[in-house]
Amino acid sequence: MISILKYNEVDKDQIFSRATSTFNVEEIVASIIENVKTNGDKAVYEYCEKFDKAQLSSLLVTEEEIENAVNMVEPKFLEILEKAASNIRKFHEKQVRNSFVINDENGVVIGQKIIPVDRAGLYVPGGTAAYPSTVLMDSIPAKIAGCKEVVMVTPPSADGTINPVILAAAKIAGIDKIFKVGGAQAIAALAYGTESIPKVDKIVGPGNAFVAEAKKQVYGQVSIDMIAGPSEILIVADSKTDPRFAAADLLSQAEHDKMASAVLVTDSMDLALAVQQELEIQIPLLKRAEIARESIDNNGKIIVADTLDVAIEISNEIAPEHLELCVENPFDYLDSIRHAGSIFMGRNCPEALGDYFAGPNHTLPTSGTARFSSPLSVDDFIKKTQFTYYTKEALKKVAQDVAFFAEKEGLTAHAKSATIRTEE
């Protein structure tokens, strides 16, 4: 059963602690990366057979496989995927940055160019659940940014096929190439390239501990979005919140993973007790009840604060991945939120809206990293370069200032490179 903690009566470590994994995969992942780096496709095929039990003749998903998959998906779901993709595009198109030029001094031009990365790599998990939402969320911003090519990797089933809904979402998102490979070996293939799989510039997408560790180890060879931890939700709720809604929303994250974290912060002990009881009613009804039970019992908590303002302070300290403001006037509190991956406003905005349909991205900072990082966006698929132009006359005006600055740092060659151009 989920614990109820009174904020002023318990050690703060109980309030702010997070679940941590002791599963050490560094050495295993390092050996996989080195093998793929050295042996390319041969290593990838071997890992597909070892881990996915799939004997493949080709890693590339063909157009025929994609079309067949689309035809297997029920039309109603295809329509929903299209609607979700439209919402995601609409939101992310507003994020597009523009290059700029400043030319307000005679003979001086400075500016910044916005350039998309050439090739983006998207990892889509397989395993216990298929996530077409991840396909849409992680590829559409890359397309909007203008990447020349978006490549997707996802683990195959034992029969060598990919879940049809994953391929349907990829078709709708406009992904250019899809490869049948998962795990750390997929990340290594994207980072270093193989005979079949092209090397990319940026890798995004969630995965298990092996995938997260692989992304960590190849960072620097390529860019990555983030090192994602277990899923999190924090709900700030007042006394008028329906306990059924709060319990359902806590479970929407708890069912993801046994390590997931579901937290309710409220100023009402009555609500806390009602949600505690409601969880016991709802958990047995879930398809993934065993996972949700372990998550709630081990990592879930209900925190009772004196006021909603204190509840907001607790939320800011935790910096959750998903934050729901289940309060009477949520916009009154919006400016007080400093640290959260994504905020869901009011009693009619479950976090599931963000996972699938509303438009804002669902690839979010976890483990408190919302204190300094942001949701996946178009910005993740661009880079900036800057340029400077001075005429001889413009340089002459500032050459001595540049030289003086350089000499203060003891770099006389820097100084000379400025003054030599102005000497008669």
Side-chain angles (χ1 to χ4, degrees):
M1 181 177 287
I2 197 168
S3 301
I4 297 179
L5 308 173
K6 289 187 178 180
Y7 181 63
N8 291 325
E9 297 180 8
V10 297
D11 189 294
K12 296 303 180 283
D13 286 344
Q14 291 180 261
I15 300 293
F16 299 119
S17 64
R18 272 184 163 89
T20 56
S21 174
T22 57
F23 191 35
N24 192 331
V25 299
E26 289 182 21
E27 292 184 9
I28 297 171
V29 168
S31 68
I32 291 172
I33 291 172
E34 185 59 34
N35 191 11
V36 173
K37 182 179 176 182
T38 304
N39 297 306
D41 278 357
K42 180 176 181 291
V44 173
Y45 279 116
E46 289 172 354
Y47 287 127
C48 284
E49 185 171 356
K50 179 179 180 180
F51 296 126
D52 302 311
K53 312 303 179 187
Q55 292 184 323
L56 304 175
S57 58
S58 173
L59 297 173
L60 180 67
V61 177
T62 66
E63 285 297 323
E64 183 181 4
E65 287 178 287
I66 295 170
E67 290 303 323
N68 288 340
V70 171
N71 291 332
M72 292 171 63
V73 178
E74 59 184 305
K76 180 179 180 181
F77 188 52
L78 289 175
E79 183 180 342
I80 292 170
L81 284 173
E82 292 279 10
K83 288 179 181 177
S86 176
N87 291 341
I88 294 165
R89 288 190 188 98
K90 186 186 303 182
F91 180 84
H92 289 81
E93 282 168 354
K94 294 294 185 181
Q95 298 174 340
V96 174
R97 291 174 178 259
N98 295 315
S99 302
F100 65 81
V101 176
I102 300 172
N103 184 17
D104 55 9
E105 290 186 43
N106 289 334
V108 177
V109 180
I110 56 177
Q112 178 175 277
K113 285 182 63 179
I114 302 296
I115 307 167
V117 301
D118 286 339
R119 185 180 287 125
L122 164 61
Y123 186 90
V124 177
T128 57
Y131 296 113
S133 57
T134 294
V135 179
L136 300 180
M137 291 288 182
D138 288 5
S139 60
I140 288 174
K143 283 291 184 178
I144 291 171
C147 296
K148 292 179 181 177
E149 190 171 48
V150 178
V151 175
M152 186 178 95
V153 292
T154 189
S157 301
D159 63 0
T161 62
I162 304 297
N163 190 307
V165 298
I166 295 294
L167 295 183
K171 175 81 171 178
I172 289 168
I175 289 173
D176 299 290
K177 292 179 181 177
I178 306 167
F179 295 94
K180 301 173 183 180
V181 55
Q185 59 272 23
I187 301 301
L190 290 174
Y192 292 98
T194 71
E195 296 89 339
S196 298
I197 302 172
K199 176 182 175 181
V200 304
D201 304 301
K202 177 104 184 192
I203 300 174
V204 303
N208 62 18
F210 292 91
V211 170
E213 178 61 29
K215 287 169 69 177
K216 182 178 178 181
Q217 290 191 25
V218 301
Y219 176 67
Q221 173 68 23
V222 293
S223 177
I224 63 172
D225 51 354
M226 61 188 74
I227 306 295
S231 297
E232 305 171 343
I233 187 170
L234 187 147
I235 303 172
V236 172
D238 60 19
S239 60
K240 296 180 181 178
T241 297
D242 189 321
R244 297 173 303 151
F245 299 171
D249 292 357
L250 291 171
L251 292 173
S252 72
Q253 288 306 294
E255 73 173 352
H256 263 299
D257 183 345
K258 292 178 180 180
M259 297 293 292
S261 171
V263 177
L264 171 68
V265 189
T266 180
D267 61 348
S268 167
M269 178 57 79
D270 287 344
L271 179 67
L273 292 168
V275 171
Q276 185 185 54
Q277 294 304 312
E278 186 62 34
L279 286 167
E280 297 307 304
I281 295 170
Q282 292 190 27
I283 289 173
L285 305 177
L286 298 176
K287 184 177 180 180
R288 295 164 67 90
E290 183 182 352
I291 293 171
R293 166 57 66 193
E294 190 163 337
S295 169
I296 288 294
D297 288 355
N298 294 340
N299 308 316
K301 62 189 77 166
I302 298 174
I303 302 165
V304 180
D306 290 338
T307 67
L308 285 179
D309 288 334
V310 173
I312 296 295
E313 291 176 14
I314 294 169
S315 175
N316 279 325
E317 183 71 20
I318 292 174
E321 177 188 16
H322 305 95
L323 170 62
E324 288 188 6
L325 292 179
C326 291
V327 295
E328 191 68 26
N329 297 299
F331 284 94
D332 291 348
Y333 296 93
L334 183 58
D335 287 346
S336 299
I337 303 299
R338 300 189 308 279
H339 309 306
S342 194
I343 307 170
F344 300 86
M345 309 285 289
R347 307 188 203 284
N348 300 305
C349 195
E351 178 271 326
L353 271 174
D355 268 355
Y356 302 118
F357 201 77
N361 210 282
H362 80 190
T363 300
L364 304 169
T366 62
S367 306
T369 58
R371 292 180 296 108
F372 52 79
S373 57
S374 307
L376 189 77
S377 71
V378 172
D379 286 348
D380 284 282
F381 300 98
I382 63 164
K383 56 195 180 77
K384 293 163 280 192
T385 189
Q386 52 201 30
F387 57 88
T388 305
Y389 169 81
Y390 273 57
T391 63
K392 184 174 183 179
E393 291 74 20
L395 174 62
K396 192 171 185 178
K397 291 179 182 179
V398 300
Q400 291 302 320
D401 290 341
V402 173
F404 191 84
F405 205 140
E407 286 165 357
K408 283 294 182 182
E409 293 191 347
L411 300 174
T412 54
H414 279 64
K416 186 66 173 178
S417 71
T419 59
I420 197 170
R421 287 171 165 77
T422 64
E423 295 171 356
E424 298 299 332

